[in-house]
Amino acid sequence: MPEKDFIRETLYLKINNLKEDKGKIVKAAALIKEGRLVAFPTETVYGLGANALSPEAVKKIFQAKGRPADNPLIVHLPGWEELSAVVDVVPPHAWELSLRFWPGPLTLIFKAKRGVPQAVTGGLATVAVRVPGHPVALALLKEAGVPVAAPSANLSGRPSPTRAEHVLRDLVGRVDLILDGGPCQMGLESTVVNLVATPPVILRPGGVTGEELRKVIPDLVLSPGAKALTAATPPSPGMKYGHYAPKAPLHLLEGEEARVRKELLARAYAYRQEGLKVGLIVAAPLKTAGDFVLFNLGGSSDLAKAARDLFAVLRAMDDEGVDIILAEGFSETGLGAAVMDRLRRAAGTNISRF
Ligand code: TXA
Ligand code: MG
C-alpha cells in the first residue's frame, strides 16, 4: 500500500458528556461507516475500531498496529440482540453468560456466521464477540449500526492502552480519530471464553473472574495454553505472540512473599551497583527502596487497583528510562489471575520461582 494511504491525519476528540458531545459520537460513527479507523474507550482498555463487515477496513487495523494477520479480532456489539450479525448458532451457556456479564469485560467465542470476513477471524471458523460496558463505546456502537472489530489500541507487542494519551503515543498518524473518554476503569482486557470447545475453555483470564464464570459453567477449564506461554499450537492465536512488553526487560519473581522480597532487593541493589537504573513493581509498600523507580500496585487486598494500574505502570517505566524492571508476583485469586497472566507475558522467559 502506498505510504500516503497509511499515514493519516489523526483527529482527537474529548468526550466530557455524552449528551453535549453527541456530535462527536456521530462524527466517529460516520468514520466507522466510511471504513476508517477510530480508537475508542472501553471499560477494559482502549480499542481500535473498524467496520467488522468490511475486509478493507479491517485490514487497516492490522496495518496501523503492525499486528500479525493470523491474530483474530474481537467483534464489538451494542447488545446481545445484535449477535445475529456475526453468529447463527448460539451454544447453551451463551444466553446466561451474556445476560449476566454483558455489557462487560467478557468475550465469547462462537462459530462464525458465513460472511464474517477472514480478516476478522484470522481464517478460523470461529468469531470472538463482546458487548463492552463503557457508555462512550456503547453510544458509538449504537450510532455506527455495524459490528465493530477492535483489538486493543496499542502498537503490537506494547502494553495495552488504558488512557487516551497511551493511544496517542502509539497510534498518532496511524488512525483517523481518537475518542478520549478518560482512563479505563478496569485496566486489563476482557476474559476470553471459547464456548465452541467441550468443556468450554478460558483462553485469556480477564475482567470477569474464573470464579464468577464457574457459577454458570461449573466444568469450565483454564486453557493450558493460557499458562504455557510457548505452546506449539496455541488454542488462541494471540497466545503465541509476545505481549505487553515495556522497553526494559522485566523479571518476575514469584513464590513465598518473604523470600521473593529478599531476592527482589538483593537483585535490585546488585543491578544498582552495576550502574543500572532499576524499576520495581511491588504488591505491598516497600520502605527500603532508596533510588529505585518504585511503583506499588497494592497487594492482594486491592487487586482491582493492580489491574487498573498495571499497564500504565509498564508504560511509566518506559518514560522513566529504566534499564531493568523487577516485579513481585501477586495472589492469583479473583482478578489476580489476570494480573499474573499479563505480568508473565510481559516477563516472557524471565520468571523465577522461590
Ligand atoms: O478487553 C478487550 O478484550 C479489548 C477491548 C478493546 O475490547 N480487546 C482486546 O483485543 O484485548 P485484542 O485483539 O488485543 O485481544 C483479543 C484476543 C487475542 O488474543 C486473540 O488471539 C483472541 O482474543 N481471539 C480473537 N478471536 C479469537 C478466536 N476466534 N479464537 C480464539 N481466540 C481469539
Ligand atoms: Mg491486545
Side-chain angles (χ1 to χ4, degrees):
M1 197 173 268
E3 182 151 299
K4 67 174 174 35
D5 287 343
F6 179 63
I7 303 296
R8 46 193 82 227
E9 197 177 316
T10 301
L11 190 63
Y12 186 98
L13 297 174
K14 174 116 180 83
I15 308 286
N16 296 307
N17 175 313
L18 265 180
K19 266 202 192 121
E20 286 163 18
D21 292 325
K22 174 82 181 169
K24 298 176 184 172
I25 299 289
V26 170
K27 167 81 187 166
L31 287 171
I32 294 276
K33 284 184 270 191
E34 274 173 34
R36 305 228 252 159
L37 299 181
V38 175
F40 61 96
T42 83
E43 79 283 28
T44 58
V45 301
Y46 274 75
L48 173 55
N51 179 355
L53 300 180
S54 160
E56 296 74 34
V58 172
K59 278 183 195 135
K60 292 179 191 165
I61 293 178
F62 288 85
Q63 196 177 31
K65 283 190 55 128
R67 179 175 175 111
D70 68 347
N71 194 1
L73 304 178
I74 298 171
V75 174
H76 294 68
L77 302 173
W80 60 263
E81 300 87 344
E82 265 76 22
L83 204 55
S84 60
V86 289
V87 171
D88 43 25
V89 183
V90 180
H93 295 297
W95 295 121
E96 196 175 346
L97 288 176
S98 62
L99 283 173
R100 272 207 202 198
F101 299 111
W102 282 354
L106 177 66
T107 293
L108 299 175
I109 293 182
F110 300 92
K111 187 170 175 302
K113 186 170 168 171
R114 273 176 74 119
V116 177
Q118 292 228 342
V120 171
T121 62
L124 299 174
T126 52
V127 64
V129 182
R130 171 165 118 82
V131 177
H134 194 293
V136 171
L138 288 172
L140 172 64
L141 292 167
K142 277 187 196 130
E143 187 68 31
V146 291
V148 171
S152 50
N154 50 282
L155 285 174
S156 200
R158 300 267 299 136
S160 297
T162 54
R163 294 163 180 270
E165 59 259 32
H166 300 159
V167 182
L168 196 61
R169 276 272 185 104
D170 278 17
L171 297 180
V172 68
R174 291 169 169 261
V175 301
D176 297 293
L177 168 64
I178 298 171
L179 282 182
D180 178 352
C184 301
Q185 286 211 323
M186 184 116 243
L188 293 181
E189 304 88 341
S190 60
T191 308
V192 179
V193 175
N194 185 359
L195 292 176
V196 179
T198 322
V201 186
I202 298 179
L203 294 177
R204 177 176 72 182
V208 176
T209 66
E211 291 90 332
E212 288 173 287
L213 290 167
R214 277 193 198 92
K215 288 182 191 155
V216 181
I217 312 180
D219 59 343
L220 182 70
V221 294
L222 178 66
S223 165
K227 295 182 214 155
L229 304 179
T230 51
T233 49
S236 174
M239 287 176 187
K240 68 175 182 270
Y241 296 111
H243 264 89
Y244 314 120
K247 287 177 186 129
L250 183 149
H251 291 238
L252 177 62
L253 284 65
E254 297 184 27
E256 201 256 309
E257 211 178 302
R259 293 190 58 202
V260 163
R261 276 252 143 141
K262 208 171 138 208
E263 184 68 18
L264 183 98
L265 284 170
R267 288 193 195 183
Y269 283 110
Y271 286 128
R272 274 293 302 143
Q273 204 77 35
E274 290 172 27
L276 298 184
K277 186 167 181 182
V278 182
L280 298 178
I281 299 176
V282 295
L286 181 68
K287 282 209 188 89
T288 39
D291 54 354
F292 304 122
V293 178
L294 174 69
F295 289 97
N296 173 15
L297 282 179
S300 311
S301 55
D302 194 0
L303 285 164
K305 175 182 151 51
R308 195 183 60 228
D309 294 345
L310 176 62
F311 287 143
V313 163
L314 293 180
R315 283 177 179 263
M317 289 291 187
D318 286 346
D319 298 340
E320 294 279 348
V322 301
D323 300 302
I324 184 147
I325 303 166
L326 301 174
E328 61 186 9
F330 285 75
S331 142
E332 280 188 81
T333 55
L335 268 180
V339 173
M340 284 305 289
D341 171 75
R342 304 311 187 269
L343 270 174
R344 287 182 186 134
R345 282 170 204 281
T349 53
N350 298 321
I351 302 177
S352 323
R353 292 193 173 79
F354 299 97

